[in-house]
Coordinates of all heavy atoms in Angstrom, one line a residue:
I170 N 44.8 94.8 61.8 CA 45.4 93.7 61.1 C 44.3 92.9 60.3 O 43.0 93.0 60.6 CB 46.0 92.7 61.9 CG1 45.0 92.1 63.0 CG2 47.2 93.3 62.7 CD1 45.6 90.9 63.8
V171 N 44.7 92.4 59.1 CA 43.8 91.6 58.3 C 43.9 90.2 59.1 O 44.8 89.5 59.1 CB 44.2 91.4 56.9 CG1 43.2 90.4 56.2 CG2 44.1 92.6 56.2
R172 N 42.8 89.9 59.9 CA 42.8 88.8 60.8 C 43.0 87.4 60.3 O 43.8 86.5 60.7 CB 41.6 88.8 61.7 CG 41.5 87.8 62.9 CD 42.6 87.9 63.9 NE 42.5 87.0 64.9 CZ 43.1 85.8 65.1 NH1 43.9 85.4 64.0 NH2 42.9 85.0 66.1
Y173 N 42.3 87.1 59.3 CA 42.3 85.8 58.6 C 43.0 85.8 57.3 O 42.3 86.1 56.2 CB 40.9 85.2 58.6 CG 40.2 85.3 59.8 CD1 39.0 86.0 60.1 CD2 40.7 84.5 61.0 CE1 38.4 86.0 61.3 CE2 40.1 84.6 62.1 CZ 38.9 85.4 62.3 OH 38.4 85.4 63.5
Q174 N 44.4 85.6 57.3 CA 45.1 85.8 56.1 C 45.1 84.6 55.1 O 44.8 83.5 55.5 CB 46.5 86.1 56.4 CG 46.7 87.4 57.2 CD 48.2 87.7 57.5 OE1 49.0 87.0 57.0 NE2 48.4 88.5 58.5
D175 N 45.4 84.8 53.9 CA 45.6 83.8 52.8 C 46.7 82.8 53.2 O 47.7 83.2 53.6 CB 45.8 84.5 51.5 CG 45.6 83.5 50.3 OD1 45.1 82.4 50.5 OD2 46.2 83.8 49.3
G176 N 46.3 81.5 53.1 CA 47.4 80.6 53.4 C 47.6 80.2 54.9 O 48.4 79.4 55.2
K177 N 46.8 80.9 55.7 CA 46.9 80.7 57.1 C 45.7 79.9 57.7 O 45.4 79.9 58.9 CB 46.9 82.0 57.9 CG 48.1 82.9 57.4 CD 49.4 82.4 57.8 CE 50.6 83.4 57.5 NZ 51.8 83.1 57.8
E178 N 44.8 79.3 56.8 CA 43.6 78.7 57.2 C 43.8 77.6 58.3 O 42.9 77.4 59.2 CB 42.9 78.0 56.0 CG 42.4 79.1 55.1 CD 43.5 79.6 54.0 OE1 44.7 79.2 54.2 OE2 43.1 80.3 53.2
A179 N 44.9 76.8 58.2 CA 45.1 75.9 59.1 C 45.5 76.4 60.5 O 45.3 75.6 61.5 CB 46.3 74.9 58.6
V180 N 46.0 77.5 60.6 CA 46.3 78.2 61.8 C 45.1 78.9 62.4 O 44.9 78.7 63.6 CB 47.5 79.2 61.6 CG1 47.8 79.9 63.0 CG2 48.7 78.5 60.9
T181 N 44.4 79.6 61.7 CA 43.4 80.4 62.2 C 42.0 79.6 62.4 O 41.2 79.9 63.2 CB 43.0 81.6 61.3 OG1 42.6 81.3 60.1 CG2 44.2 82.5 61.2
G182 N 41.8 78.6 61.5 CA 40.7 77.8 61.5 C 39.6 78.2 60.7 O 38.5 77.9 60.5
Y183 N 39.9 79.5 59.8 CA 38.9 80.1 59.1 C 39.5 80.3 57.7 O 40.7 80.4 57.6 CB 38.4 81.4 59.6 CG 37.6 81.2 60.9 CD1 38.2 81.5 62.1 CD2 36.3 80.8 60.8 CE1 37.4 81.3 63.4 CE2 35.6 80.6 62.0 CZ 36.2 80.8 63.3 OH 35.5 80.6 64.4
Q184 N 38.6 80.5 56.7 CA 39.0 80.7 55.4 C 39.6 82.1 55.3 O 39.5 82.9 56.2 CB 37.9 80.6 54.3 CG 36.8 81.6 54.5 CD 35.6 81.6 53.6 OE1 35.3 80.5 53.2 NE2 35.2 82.8 53.1
Y185 N 40.3 82.5 54.2 CA 40.8 83.8 53.9 C 39.7 84.7 53.9 O 38.8 84.7 53.1 CB 41.6 83.8 52.5 CG 42.1 85.0 52.1 CD1 42.7 86.0 53.0 CD2 42.1 85.3 50.7 CE1 43.2 87.3 52.6 CE2 42.7 86.5 50.2 CZ 43.2 87.5 51.1 OH 43.7 88.7 50.7
E186 N 39.8 85.8 54.7 CA 38.8 86.9 54.7 C 39.5 88.2 54.6 O 39.8 88.9 55.5 CB 38.0 86.8 56.1 CG 37.2 85.5 56.1 CD 36.2 85.6 57.3 OE1 36.2 86.6 58.1 OE2 35.4 84.6 57.5
P187 N 39.7 88.7 53.4 CA 40.4 90.0 53.2 C 39.6 91.2 53.7 O 40.2 92.3 53.9 CB 40.7 90.0 51.7 CG 39.5 89.2 51.1 CD 39.4 88.1 52.1
W188 N 38.3 91.0 54.0 CA 37.5 92.1 54.5 C 37.4 92.2 55.9 O 36.9 93.3 56.5 CB 36.1 91.8 54.0 CG 35.5 90.5 54.5 CD1 34.8 90.3 55.7 CD2 35.5 89.2 53.9 NE1 34.4 89.1 55.9 CE2 34.8 88.4 54.8 CE3 36.0 88.8 52.7 CZ2 34.6 87.0 54.4 CZ3 35.8 87.4 52.4 CH2 35.2 86.6 53.3
H189 N 37.9 91.2 56.7 CA 37.7 91.2 58.1 C 39.0 91.8 58.8 O 40.1 91.1 58.8 CB 37.5 89.7 58.7 CG 37.3 89.7 60.1 ND1 36.1 89.4 60.8 CD2 38.2 89.7 61.2 CE1 36.3 89.2 62.1 NE2 37.6 89.5 62.3
I190 N 38.9 92.9 59.5 CA 40.0 93.6 60.1 C 39.7 93.6 61.6 O 38.6 93.7 62.1 CB 40.2 94.9 59.6 CG1 39.1 95.9 59.8 CG2 40.8 94.9 58.2 CD1 39.4 97.4 59.4
R191 N 40.8 93.5 62.3 CA 40.7 93.5 63.8 C 41.6 94.5 64.4 O 42.9 94.6 64.1 CB 41.1 92.1 64.3 CG 41.7 92.0 65.7 CD 40.7 92.2 66.7 NE 41.4 92.3 68.1 CZ 41.6 91.3 68.9 NH1 41.3 90.0 68.5 NH2 42.2 91.5 70.0
Y192 N 41.3 95.3 65.3 CA 42.0 96.3 66.0 C 42.8 95.8 67.1 O 42.4 95.1 68.0 CB 41.2 97.4 66.5 CG 41.9 98.5 67.1 CD1 42.6 99.5 66.3 CD2 42.0 98.8 68.5 CE1 43.4 100.6 66.8 CE2 42.8 99.8 69.0 CZ 43.5 100.6 68.2 OH 44.3 101.7 68.7
V193 N 44.1 96.1 67.1 CA 45.1 95.5 68.0 C 46.0 96.7 68.6 O 47.0 96.5 69.4 CB 46.0 94.4 67.6 CG1 45.2 93.1 67.3 CG2 46.8 94.8 66.3
G194 N 45.8 97.9 67.9 CA 46.8 99.0 68.3 C 47.9 99.1 67.2 O 48.4 98.0 66.7
K195 N 48.5 100.2 66.9 CA 49.5 100.4 66.0 C 50.7 99.6 66.2 O 51.4 99.1 65.4 CB 49.9 101.8 65.8 CG 48.8 102.7 65.2 CD 49.2 104.3 65.1 CE 48.1 105.1 64.5 NZ 48.6 106.6 64.3
E196 N 51.1 99.6 67.6 CA 52.4 98.9 67.9 C 52.5 97.4 67.4 O 53.4 97.0 66.7 CB 52.6 98.9 69.4 CG 54.0 98.4 69.9 CD 54.1 98.5 71.4 OE1 53.1 98.6 72.1 OE2 55.2 98.5 71.8
L197 N 51.4 96.7 67.9 CA 51.3 95.3 67.4 C 50.9 95.2 66.0 O 51.6 94.3 65.3 CB 50.3 94.7 68.2 CG 50.1 93.1 67.9 CD1 51.3 92.4 68.0 CD2 48.9 92.6 68.9
A198 N 50.1 96.0 65.4 CA 49.8 95.9 64.0 C 51.0 96.0 63.1 O 51.2 95.3 62.1 CB 48.6 96.9 63.7
D199 N 51.9 97.0 63.5 CA 53.1 97.2 62.7 C 54.0 96.0 62.7 O 54.5 95.5 61.7 CB 53.9 98.5 63.2 CG 53.2 99.8 62.8 OD1 52.4 99.8 61.8 OD2 53.5 100.8 63.5
E200 N 54.1 95.4 63.9 CA 55.1 94.3 64.1 C 54.5 93.1 63.4 O 55.2 92.4 62.7 CB 55.0 93.9 65.6 CG 56.3 93.0 65.9 CD 57.6 93.6 65.8 OE1 57.7 94.9 65.7 OE2 58.6 92.9 65.7
M201 N 53.2 92.8 63.4 CA 52.5 91.7 62.6 C 52.5 91.9 61.2 O 52.7 90.9 60.4 CB 51.2 91.4 63.2 CG 51.1 91.0 64.6 SD 49.4 90.6 65.2 CE 49.0 89.2 64.1
Y202 N 52.5 93.1 60.7 CA 52.6 93.4 59.3 C 54.0 93.1 58.7 O 54.2 92.4 57.7 CB 52.2 94.9 59.1 CG 52.2 95.3 57.6 CD1 51.2 94.9 56.7 CD2 53.3 95.9 56.9 CE1 51.2 95.2 55.4 CE2 53.3 96.3 55.6 CZ 52.2 96.0 54.8 OH 52.3 96.3 53.6
K203 N 55.0 93.5 59.5 CA 56.4 93.2 59.1 C 56.6 91.8 59.1 O 57.5 91.3 58.2 CB 57.3 93.9 60.1 CG 57.3 95.4 59.9 CD 58.3 96.1 60.8 CE 58.2 95.9 62.3 NZ 59.2 96.7 63.1
T204 N 56.1 91.0 60.1 CA 56.4 89.6 60.2 C 55.5 88.7 59.4 O 55.7 87.5 59.3 CB 56.5 89.1 61.6 OG1 55.2 89.3 62.2 CG2 57.6 89.8 62.5
N205 N 54.4 89.2 58.8 CA 53.4 88.6 58.1 C 52.9 87.3 58.8 O 53.0 86.3 58.2 CB 54.0 88.2 56.7 CG 53.0 87.6 55.7 OD1 51.9 88.1 55.8 ND2 53.4 86.6 55.0
Q206 N 52.5 87.7 60.0 CA 52.0 86.5 60.9 C 50.6 86.8 61.4 O 50.2 88.0 61.4 CB 52.9 86.3 62.1 CG 54.3 85.7 61.8 CD 55.1 85.5 63.0 OE1 55.3 86.5 63.8 NE2 55.6 84.3 63.2
V207 N 49.8 85.7 61.7 CA 48.5 85.9 62.3 C 48.8 85.9 63.8 O 49.8 85.5 64.2 CB 47.5 84.9 61.8 CG1 47.1 85.1 60.4 CG2 48.0 83.5 62.1
M208 N 47.8 86.3 64.6 CA 48.0 86.3 66.1 C 48.5 84.9 66.6 O 49.3 84.9 67.6 CB 46.6 86.7 66.8 CG 46.3 88.2 66.4 SD 44.9 88.8 67.3 CE 45.7 89.3 68.8
E209 N 47.9 83.9 66.2 CA 48.3 82.5 66.8 C 49.7 82.2 66.5 O 50.4 81.6 67.4 CB 47.4 81.4 66.1 CG 46.0 81.4 66.6 CD 45.1 82.4 65.8 OE1 45.6 83.1 65.0 OE2 43.9 82.3 66.2

């Protein structure tokens, strides 16, 4: 997943980082991609 998404700074606590990816496994990554959400 792209961990720190654009517009989610108040949620993640960090600026948008399109280069920072985080491994969570395909199952969760697919679900988060569909819902357009960060982990928090």
Side-chain angles (χ1 to χ4, degrees):
I170 59 172
V171 176
R172 180 67 174 92
Y173 305 117
Q174 296 181 15
D175 191 18
K177 308 285 188 178
E178 292 84 356
V180 181
T181 63
Y183 295 102
Q184 67 176 38
Y185 175 37
E186 295 188 357
W188 63 84
H189 179 106
I190 59 175
R191 154 71 192 271
Y192 185 74
V193 294
K195 290 183 181 180
E196 185 180 23
L197 178 56
D199 284 341
E200 195 70 17
M201 292 184 66
Y202 182 79
K203 288 188 294 184
T204 59
N205 191 34
Q206 293 179 306
V207 292
M208 296 185 82
E209 288 82 358

